[in-house]
Amino acid sequence: MEKKFPEIETSRLILRKVKSDDKESMFKYLSDEDVVKHMGLFPYKTAEEVMDEINWYDSIYKEGTGIRWGITEKGKNEVIGSCGFLNMKRQHFRAEIGFELNKEYWSQGIAGEAISAVLKYGFQSLGLERIEALIEPTNRSSQKLVEKYGFIKEGLLRHYEFTCGKFDDLLMYSILKEDLVGIFGE
């Protein structure tokens, strides 16, 4: 990974490194059951607990296994969600994309704008060949969102994760670099 954390700008957003100062704004959405119910997390109870999430973002970046950007609106410094890669396997040129957004910003195209920018970064700057999205079968909104951006449903992974005291089935979606030829000027 680059030494300096990369910043991504879109027409409405700045995707940037999350800092400890962002814990209050992140707590607004990470404490919301509707936001975290498909993330394999219990809602955070305090802003201090959000530091665990921020520290995880730092650790995956330092280890080279992922990168997670805080989503902010241009002209505002409040983190309203995050988007990025985890479980990056450099030797296989693949990573998993993850995202979440403060409920106040749902249905405004913000998550899609962030996902599009992160996909472009993954294929162009990280040299990824394949990006995966693992989504709970009940999370139709996220399924529709990734399908809109070209992801293809590959199948069901039964009892793939154990989170919050239960086994979760996950749908595997993927998009390949060749699926986007021409979109990013390649």
Side-chain angles (χ1 to χ4, degrees):
M1 293 279 198
E2 302 173 27
K3 293 223 185 266
K4 184 178 184 297
F5 194 93
E7 191 171 277
I8 300 173
E9 184 174 340
T10 70
S11 61
R12 296 184 293 168
L13 308 172
I14 300 287
L15 307 182
R16 63 159 174 83
K17 181 177 175 50
V18 172
K19 306 176 299 290
S20 58
D21 294 353
D22 297 315
K23 66 184 177 192
E24 295 291 338
S25 61
M26 292 174 68
F27 178 67
K28 289 179 186 175
Y29 62 86
L30 291 174
S31 61
D32 186 330
E33 171 66 33
D34 290 335
V35 173
V36 301
K37 70 181 172 188
H38 297 297
M39 294 173 59
L41 298 173
F42 289 113
Y44 284 96
K45 297 194 183 327
T46 68
E48 273 311 308
E49 288 179 358
V50 173
M51 284 306 301
D52 290 342
E53 190 80 0
I54 294 170
N55 292 334
W56 177 67
Y57 295 175
D58 286 340
S59 73
I60 63 172
Y61 185 69
K62 287 176 185 162
E63 294 164 4
T65 60
I67 181 170
R68 195 76 167 210
W69 288 271
I71 301 170
T72 65
E73 293 178 288
K74 282 185 177 177
K76 300 178 184 175
N77 200 29
E78 181 177 348
V79 174
I80 59 171
S82 80
C83 186
F85 300 116
L86 60 150
N87 297 325
M88 191 178 305
K89 304 290 185 202
R90 292 286 191 158
Q91 71 273 27
H92 299 296
F93 301 90
R94 75 172 183 248
E96 179 184 331
I97 195 168
F99 50 89
E100 79 280 333
L101 192 62
N102 184 318
K103 193 167 47 180
E104 293 176 29
Y105 296 89
W106 288 3
S107 301
Q108 297 176 34
I110 290 172
E113 190 171 325
I115 288 168
S116 179
V118 167
L119 288 174
K120 182 176 181 179
Y121 185 88
F123 288 128
Q124 290 184 339
S125 300
L126 297 178
L128 297 174
E129 174 64 20
R130 174 185 169 93
I131 297 173
E132 302 170 343
L134 298 173
I135 303 172
E136 291 183 356
T138 56
N139 189 350
R140 284 297 303 144
S141 296
S142 288
Q143 291 172 51
K144 287 178 185 174
L145 183 59
V146 298
E147 288 168 357
K148 179 179 178 181
Y149 287 91
F151 282 77
I152 296 169
K153 186 184 338 180
E154 295 182 336
L156 179 69
L157 303 171
R158 299 180 314 141
H159 286 204
Y160 192 73
E161 287 183 339
F162 185 78
T163 61
C164 300
K166 64 181 179 24
F167 288 100
D168 295 322
D169 294 341
L170 295 174
L171 291 168
M172 170 66 80
Y173 281 84
S174 74
I175 189 167
L176 304 179
K177 186 175 187 177
E178 67 188 37
D179 296 336
L180 298 177
V181 171
I183 293 176
F184 300 137
E186 297 175 6

